[in-house]
Amino acid sequence: MIVISNTTPFISLCSVDLLHLLPSIFGEVLVAPSVADECSEGGRIFVPDLTSLPWVKVQPVENEMHLPALFELDRGERDTLLLAAMQAKALVIMDEKLGRNMAEYMGLQVTGTLGVLAKARFQGLIPSFSQAASQMREQGIYFHEVLVNRIATRLGEVN
């Protein structure tokens, strides 16, 4: 399966030193050049240069799809979806609601950072989904509490 990520999952996972989960779970991750650029802009949370990570492949976006709704997204989100539309059966990792809705509208399979954490917990790569999500929240990464609780319940972490 080809996996394509937007910027926010990199930032979220870096906020709690869990970036290693992406290659552990998915192997190679594709990103659009705009996503690599957004990550390199810097900010409060350090994200390594994506071009220096052997498991990240920066791939140009050569898709000329013109969906007007795509222009409602930021460049990284738009390019991530356009890159995914070029692939057969790609999984998109994206957290922003509008971008996720557009991915689903385009018929793309989508998950988010919480989905990555859930998969990591299921595979035994992290001891607690809830703890990782809570630590992200402490770093200023916001996820809807109802969603966090629903996933934690499915994983057997909440009664």
Side-chain angles (χ1 to χ4, degrees), residues 85-140:
M86 295 169 30
Q87 312 296 327
K89 299 195 179 203
L91 172 65
V92 175
I93 306 174
M94 183 176 288
D95 291 327
E96 295 76 14
K97 184 160 182 58
L98 184 58
R100 291 173 61 92
N101 289 345
M102 180 54 62
E104 290 171 358
Y105 173 78
M106 294 170 65
L108 301 170
Q109 185 179 353
V110 65
T111 192
T113 301
L114 293 179
V116 172
L117 292 179
K119 205 176 261 292
R121 174 66 177 96
F122 182 77
Q123 293 180 8
L125 299 173
I126 58 174
S128 169
F129 165 85
S130 300
Q131 181 181 10
S134 177
Q135 289 171 340
M136 284 182 183
R137 179 169 278 222
E138 290 169 10
Q139 295 299 316

Side-chain angles (χ1 to χ4, degrees), residues 22-157:
L22 290 176
S24 296
I25 296 169
F26 303 112
E28 185 176 81
V29 177
L30 301 183
V31 298
S34 56
V35 170
D37 292 344
E38 287 176 357
C39 285
S40 70
E41 287 176 6
R44 191 178 59 75
I45 296 169
F46 173 76
V47 177
D49 177 3
L50 297 186
T51 63
S52 72
L53 301 174
W55 50 272
V56 173
K57 181 179 177 192
V58 180
Q59 184 167 323
V61 178
E62 299 168 359
N63 190 326
E64 296 299 322
M65 182 183 292
H66 294 287
L67 288 174
L70 288 176
F71 294 102
E72 298 295 319
L73 305 175
D74 75 22
R75 186 169 177 192
E77 293 165 3
R78 183 182 70 237
D79 289 352
T80 297
L81 296 182
L82 289 174
L83 186 58
M86 295 169 30
Q87 312 296 327
K89 299 195 179 203
L91 172 65
V92 175
I93 306 174
M94 183 176 288
D95 291 327
E96 295 76 14
K97 184 160 182 58
L98 184 58
R100 291 173 61 92
N101 289 345
M102 180 54 62
E104 290 171 358
Y105 173 78
M106 294 170 65
L108 301 170
Q109 185 179 353
V110 65
T111 192
T113 301
L114 293 179
V116 172
L117 292 179
K119 205 176 261 292
R121 174 66 177 96
F122 182 77
Q123 293 180 8
L125 299 173
I126 58 174
S128 169
F129 165 85
S130 300
Q131 181 181 10
S134 177
Q135 289 171 340
M136 284 182 183
R137 179 169 278 222
E138 290 169 10
Q139 295 299 316
I141 308 296
Y142 176 78
F143 296 108
H144 200 284
E145 198 62 34
V146 171
L147 179 58
V148 172
N149 289 336
R150 186 179 320 137
I151 295 170
T153 300
R154 281 192 208 146
L155 291 169
E157 292 188 9

